[in-house]
Amino acid sequence: VVAGRHGFRDLLVVAEVALALPLLVAGALMIRTLWNLQDVNPGFDPHNVVAMRISLSPTDASTATSIRRAYPELLARLNNVPGVDFAAAILNLPMDNDYASAPVWIEGSPRPRSQSDMPSVLMYPTTPGYLNVMKIPLIRGRFINEHDDDMHPSVVVIDEVMARNLFPNQDPIGERVMFGGPDEGVSSQIVGITGHVKHGGLDDDATARIRAQTYVPLVQMPEFFLKMAARGGTVVLRARSNPLGMAEAARASILGADPEQAVSNVRPMA
């Protein structure tokens, strides 16, 4: 009986070792993966950047015109907050679970029969200053500026993946693309090319279903997108130093200008 107990105990030790080895190997692989990901460039610089969720007041959110007016005024105030280098607004941040996408057609190319024949691209409705906040490189052309409003022609900035895939051996700046179906889409002129951002994550961007990215002026978007921005857009701020202290000053500035605005989910991006 004693020998049997020893044998059973020995068996348990062997089983524990057998179970522990795969866990140790998996743990070592995970640490190695995390270590390797430290060297992966996400395409932007999150250090000293703070993001916060903004809901406009009922008055400012009431119409497309009031939303188009409210966001530039809000960002102008934030750019004057001590410690803020740049401020911008965007609907969906990189590496968030939410994203907007749209089928796209290059005008002048064979006309697609339907949206299913068109490649899809990620769409970032945003404001001037976003590249400065995130330190996304501008490769060629220009980014969105304050003149790209609803009174001027629609423009779009594309990333290097879209430029490479949809415009091989061709300069895309000045070309026009159609967002949406071939019959009811919105035509926009390409004015710039940016670096690529790993929207889906550091380790699975290469296998993401949609990789090509576009930046479009928030104030040129249809009312549906403007209402989304009014209910819960994201403001991003680049701080000179002390990002959390700057964020509190920015929050006070927003609520001081209009207490009916809501500020939530304030968080550093690094």
Side-chain angles (χ1 to χ4, degrees):
V1 177
V2 173
R5 276 203 296 263
H6 280 296
F8 183 67
R9 189 164 54 210
D10 293 342
L11 182 61
L12 285 177
V13 170
V14 172
E16 287 173 358
V17 171
L19 288 171
L21 281 174
L23 292 175
L24 287 172
V25 172
L29 289 174
M30 183 176 71
I31 291 171
R32 182 178 177 183
T33 298
L34 291 174
W35 182 263
N36 290 337
L37 288 177
Q38 290 181 342
D39 297 327
V40 176
N41 180 9
F44 64 95
D45 180 6
H47 298 94
N48 283 349
V49 175
V50 173
M52 57 182 68
R53 201 78 167 168
I54 303 291
S55 297
L56 298 180
S57 67
T59 300
D60 285 341
S62 59
T63 66
T65 299
S66 64
I67 298 168
R68 289 188 176 107
R69 181 190 66 248
Y71 261 104
E73 291 177 353
L74 170 69
L75 295 173
R77 285 196 302 273
L78 290 174
N79 274 309
N80 287 321
V81 170
V84 172
D85 257 349
F86 301 101
I90 192 165
L91 274 187
N92 305 301
L93 280 174
M95 301 186 189
D96 273 0
N97 291 328
D98 294 334
Y99 64 89
S101 65
V104 67
W105 166 47
I106 303 170
E107 293 188 26
S109 65
R111 186 180 182 83
R113 291 170 294 181
S114 67
Q115 289 189 7
S116 61
D117 296 323
M118 302 164 66
S120 291
V121 298
L122 295 177
M123 179 182 287
Y124 296 100
T126 188
T127 63
Y130 180 71
L131 287 197
N132 291 330
V133 175
M134 305 297 280
K135 290 191 176 181
I136 299 170
L138 179 65
I139 295 174
R140 197 157 66 255
R142 69 169 178 89
F143 195 62
I144 296 161
N145 62 38
E146 65 276 5
H147 301 296
D148 299 320
D149 57 21
D150 60 315
M151 303 301 292
H152 288 86
S154 296
V155 298
V156 59
V157 177
I158 68 175
D159 81 331
E160 57 189 326
V161 170
M162 179 170 170
R164 186 168 57 247
N165 292 349
L166 271 65
F167 297 91
N169 306 315
Q170 180 185 355
D171 184 1
I173 293 180
E175 298 294 326
R176 302 193 68 85
V177 292
M178 183 82 75
F179 291 97
D183 297 315
E184 67 279 356
V186 176
S187 176
S188 300
Q189 185 177 44
I190 299 171
V191 296
I193 305 170
T194 70
H196 178 70
V197 171
K198 292 179 170 58
H199 179 94
L202 297 179
D203 56 345
D204 58 0
D205 177 75
T207 58
R209 186 175 65 86
I210 304 174
R211 295 189 69 231
Q213 298 162 359
T214 62
Y215 299 90
V216 293
L218 176 63
V219 294
Q220 288 188 345
M221 296 300 288
E223 186 171 1
F224 170 76
F225 284 93
L226 291 169
K227 291 288 188 181
M228 288 176 60
R231 291 193 301 269
T234 297
V235 166
V236 284
L237 308 166
R238 175 163 289 279
R240 297 187 188 100
S241 61
N242 187 18
L244 292 181
M246 178 271 303
E248 187 55 39
R251 183 177 183 277
S253 174
I254 294 168
L255 298 179
D258 188 344
E260 292 191 312
Q261 293 181 132
V263 181
S264 62
N265 198 16
V266 180
R267 74 271 190 200
M269 292 195 65

